[in-house]
Amino acid sequence: MSYLELNDVSKDFGAASVLKDINLSVEKGEFVAIVGFSGAGKTTLISLIAGLLKPSGGTMKLNDLEITAPGPDRGIVFQNYSLLPWLSVFENILLAVDSVNPNWSADKKKAHVEKYIAMVNLTPARDKKPGELSGGMRQRVSVARALAMDPQILLLDEPLSALDALTRATLQDEISRIWSEDKKTVVLITNDPDEGIYLADRIIPLTAGPGATLGPSFKVEIPRPRDRKSINHDPHFKQLRREIVEFMLNSKQDRHTAITRKLILPDIEPEDLNIPRSMTGWRKTPIRKSELKEESVEVKP
Amino acid sequence: MKSFKLDWLVLPLIGVAAVLVLWQISCASWAKDLPTPEKTWQVSKPYIVEPFAKRGEMDQGILRFTWYSLILVAKGYALALIIGTPIGFFLGLSKTFTKIFDPLIQVLRPVSPLAWLPLGLVLFTSAGKNASELGALFTIAICSMWPTVMNTAVGVRAIPQDYLNVAKVLKLSRTKTLFKVLIPATLPYMFTGFRLSLGIAWLVIVAAEMLTGQPGVGGFLWQEYNSLIYEHIILCIVTIGVVGFILDRLMSVVEKKFKTA
Ligand SMILES: Nc1ncnc2c1ncn2[C@@H]1O[C@H](COP(=O)(O)OP(=O)(O)OP(=O)(O)O)[C@@H](O)[C@H]1O
Ligand SMILES: [Mg+2]
């Protein structure tokens, strides 16, 4: 029995099917990356695991217990940081610590919060409001808040995609370090296959939506600690990347949607100039029936 | 028109001057009973230069009257906020609550203070001497609470899902969710409501005082109308306008503070 198990999970919003046939099992201590296109349903998937959304079908189990609501066992780093703008960095994290460990003494809570602020190198910004921080700093606060709750599993929704390449690399190393120290189970959502390969034990692509589903797992057999510079020349890395990108592009090309649209074609007969033109000078409706045509176009998303 | 130095001062003065001219012309032509600007100033002068004088119950300096009015407004306004804010929260949080009370609110909202006041007096007849003050408070509260109710409700409905998700993921208790998430997220909307409510409360006070004869700017205005001292009517109108303007400015400063926070 795996630590996290999703069986045939699906999610629709009204008539729109976003996710279907999702099967995922994650072992305890494993680092899994899920790669997918923008809009495929990655945030939806993580919200399901977090318990913020109810699945339309299928079962989800964490530690052999059905997932029904959010819980302190799952720490989440939201894609848009989701810090409370009226609280300082310290207060944002304290709020989380406070609700997980209500019985701790005030000093213990304070020390705990400060430890995690230091861990993400934000001690100088301790008393700043999120609005005064850069995107990367906010993201680090968000990571610190999730870690400070000491969850058993970390759900990271594109935690680094809003950052510049340099900050991104630094934070990737930080995530890697935190993971190897604590050996927490991590599910990382990303749109960058390289990031997934660099960090994870296993990469699972999410096919393009609508009705996205998880593809086959790609195991990353690169020994840790991984070195950012040399990994680019590793033949296994190159091959993995090629396979993942190929799989994802193929999943996109599979779906052809036909769109039918109305066209108004000019008639070959000359217009009767005695008929006054409409005031706006542009007519939406055709004058003659024969101008109406329908056209069907294949669209590749 | 090109802007020049001191235009913020000169241009409004041009407007005032134009009104004064129009006023003077009116006095001379069609409004024979209207006191001229000069006469108004002379008759009002004792009330302005000695703004806190108390010569009798209904003969006091204009700022003293204003002070009475402000106190009454403050009480009624406080009542409006204390009642209106929770109602707004319930409307924003519960669809059922909205369905039950929204039609009622929409019907009561447009009712004029002049209509509420007699009801207020009837409600508090048993209070004897205080009946008119309580009636006035009731009227101020019930008329001025609607902007607070509506804006708070809109604010609660507009709380981004992200913040609610944070509350859920952190497993915040109900009170924590209220004080750490719901109220801070709604504050900017609430303050817009508070500002509009204050404007209405100030509008209502004058009407309430006129009808109940309470000492205050409105009561003074009505008494001087009955005593045929029309100059003081104008004095009162100007005072009411200036005070209302200042209150609105003060509130919008507070409001801005919460908007940017
Ligand atoms: N509450 C909702 N109601 C209706 N549709 C929704 C809702 N949430 C998401 N969707 C739809 O589900 C699809 C997937 O959205 P989702 O946010 O999961 O994508 P994503 O993979 O996280 O994208 P991105 O990489 O841009 O973050 C989108 O088409 C979106 O319009
Ligand atoms: Mg997303």
Side-chain angles (χ1 to χ4, degrees), chain A residues 37-44 46 79-80 157-158 161 189:
Chain A
F37 292 107
S38 178
K42 305 186 294 297
T43 301
T44 308
I46 216 99
Q79 187 170 9
N80 43 13
D157 188 4
E158 301 196 40
S161 57
I189 300 280

Side-chain angles (χ1 to χ4, degrees), chain A:
Chain A
M1 192 76 213
S2 313
Y3 183 58
L4 173 68
E5 281 262 2
L6 304 193
N7 271 316
D8 288 327
V9 170
S10 62
K11 180 72 192 170
D12 339 303
F13 290 108
S17 159
V18 174
L19 295 173
K20 63 167 204 236
D21 305 331
I22 300 283
N23 287 294
L24 172 70
S25 53
V26 179
E27 299 300 328
K28 204 166 176 72
E30 199 181 8
F31 195 134
V32 172
I34 293 172
V35 204
F37 292 107
S38 178
K42 305 186 294 297
T43 301
T44 308
L45 178 59
I46 216 99
S47 306
L48 284 169
I49 301 174
L52 289 167
L53 289 176
K54 293 237 174 321
S56 310
T59 54
M60 304 188 295
K61 280 188 177 163
L62 180 73
N63 219 353
D64 228 7
L65 290 170
E66 188 88 17
I67 297 176
T68 50
D73 48 351
R74 278 151 288 156
I76 303 163
V77 175
F78 294 99
Q79 187 170 9
N80 43 13
Y81 327 130
S82 292
L83 302 171
L84 300 177
W86 44 85
L87 298 180
S88 68
V89 169
F90 180 85
E91 291 163 332
N92 261 293
I93 301 176
L94 180 65
L95 190 65
V97 172
D98 209 17
S99 76
V100 181
N101 311 296
N103 302 324
W104 284 9
S105 71
D107 282 345
K108 187 167 181 196
K109 285 178 197 163
K110 185 164 173 270
H112 188 77
V113 173
E114 252 144 28
K115 179 180 137 197
Y116 281 93
I117 294 181
M119 181 189 255
V120 294
N121 299 324
L122 279 176
T123 309
R126 179 186 182 277
D127 295 312
K128 291 215 168 107
K129 297 272 166 66
E132 303 167 89
L133 303 179
S134 72
M137 290 161 101
R138 283 183 223 183
Q139 199 61 79
R140 279 185 278 163
V141 179
S142 187
V143 171
R145 178 176 65 183
L147 290 173
M149 293 172 76
D150 199 21
Q152 295 167 29
I153 182 166
L154 262 181
L155 308 172
L156 310 173
D157 188 4
E158 301 196 40
L160 309 178
S161 57
L163 309 178
D164 64 277
L166 271 167
T167 321
R168 202 172 167 152
T170 321
L171 279 184
Q172 281 172 357
D173 293 340
E174 221 154 300
I175 289 177
S176 180
R177 177 177 59 85
I178 289 164
W179 175 79
S180 60
E181 277 170 15
D182 283 10
K183 284 290 172 204
K184 289 203 188 320
T185 314
V186 178
V187 177
L188 168 77
I189 300 280
T190 178
N191 56 16
D192 176 7
D194 289 13
E195 179 175 284
I197 300 172
Y198 179 61
L199 289 170
D201 296 324
R202 194 149 60 94
I203 300 196
I204 309 171
L206 185 67
T207 63
T213 188
L214 291 175
S217 288
F218 293 87
K219 243 186 154 43
V220 185
E221 322 248 14
I222 303 173
R224 291 172 194 270
R226 293 173 187 161
D227 180 58
R228 184 177 298 281
K229 267 179 267 163
S230 61
I231 202 173
N232 278 317
H233 309 293
D234 188 315
H236 178 59
F237 173 88
K238 285 187 191 163
Q239 195 200 337
L240 256 182
R241 184 164 69 175
R242 197 166 46 243
E243 283 175 21
I244 293 168
V245 171
E246 218 157 78
F247 176 87
M248 289 178 61
L249 289 177
N250 283 338
S251 85
K252 224 175 180 180
Q253 270 155 17
D254 282 349
R255 22 191 98 240
H256 290 248
T257 342
I259 291 181
T260 314
R261 60 181 180 200
K262 244 180 213 155
L263 294 176
I264 298 173
L265 302 175
D267 205 78
I268 27 168
E269 273 175 68
E271 270 187 51
D272 185 349
L273 293 178
N274 288 325
I275 300 171
R277 289 204 166 211
S278 72
M279 291 297 287
T280 49
W282 181 256
R283 58 203 165 88
K284 289 216 175 72
T285 47
I287 295 174
R288 287 168 289 266
K289 273 273 159 54
S290 58
E291 294 179 35
L292 262 181
K293 286 278 180 307
E294 288 212 335
E295 183 194 57
S296 192
V297 192
E298 288 264 293
V299 181
K300 284 179 191 169

Side-chain angles (χ1 to χ4, degrees), chain B residues 76-199:
Chain B
Y77 178 59
L79 208 60
L81 300 196
I82 291 168
I83 301 171
T85 315
I87 295 181
F89 261 93
F90 284 124
L91 283 177
L93 289 174
S94 157
K95 284 215 173 73
T96 321
F97 192 88
T98 307
K99 279 188 193 141
I100 298 175
F101 289 107
D102 195 56
L104 211 62
I105 290 172
Q106 299 307 336
V107 168
L108 294 184
R109 212 155 55 105
V111 175
S112 148
L114 297 172
W116 283 114
L117 192 68
L119 182 68
L121 295 176
V122 169
L123 280 175
F124 296 104
T125 34
S126 57
K129 200 161 64 70
N130 291 329
S132 56
E133 185 180 342
L134 292 177
L137 284 182
F138 166 82
T139 311
I140 294 170
I142 207 162
C143 291
S144 67
M145 79 181 184
W146 305 122
T148 297
V149 171
M150 302 319 277
N151 277 281
T152 306
V154 169
V156 171
R157 288 190 200 116
I159 296 176
Q161 186 63 39
D162 291 344
Y163 300 161
L164 301 178
N165 281 348
V166 170
K168 278 193 208 152
V169 167
L170 300 188
K171 285 261 166 200
L172 298 185
S173 64
R174 271 167 183 273
T175 35
K176 270 239 163 108
T177 307
L178 182 66
F179 286 105
K180 296 282 180 181
V181 181
L182 298 184
I183 291 182
T186 320
L187 266 186
Y189 287 85
M190 270 159 61
F191 268 89
T192 303
F194 291 173
R195 181 169 59 81
L196 298 174
S197 283
L198 185 58

Side-chain angles (χ1 to χ4, degrees), chain B residues 240-260:
Chain B
I240 292 165
V242 169
V243 171
F245 174 71
I246 292 172
L247 289 180
D248 192 67
R249 283 292 101 161
L250 288 178
M251 277 308 281
S252 66
V253 168
V254 180
E255 192 187 339
K256 277 224 186 72
K257 226 177 155 159
F258 280 99
K259 281 257 156 76
T260 49

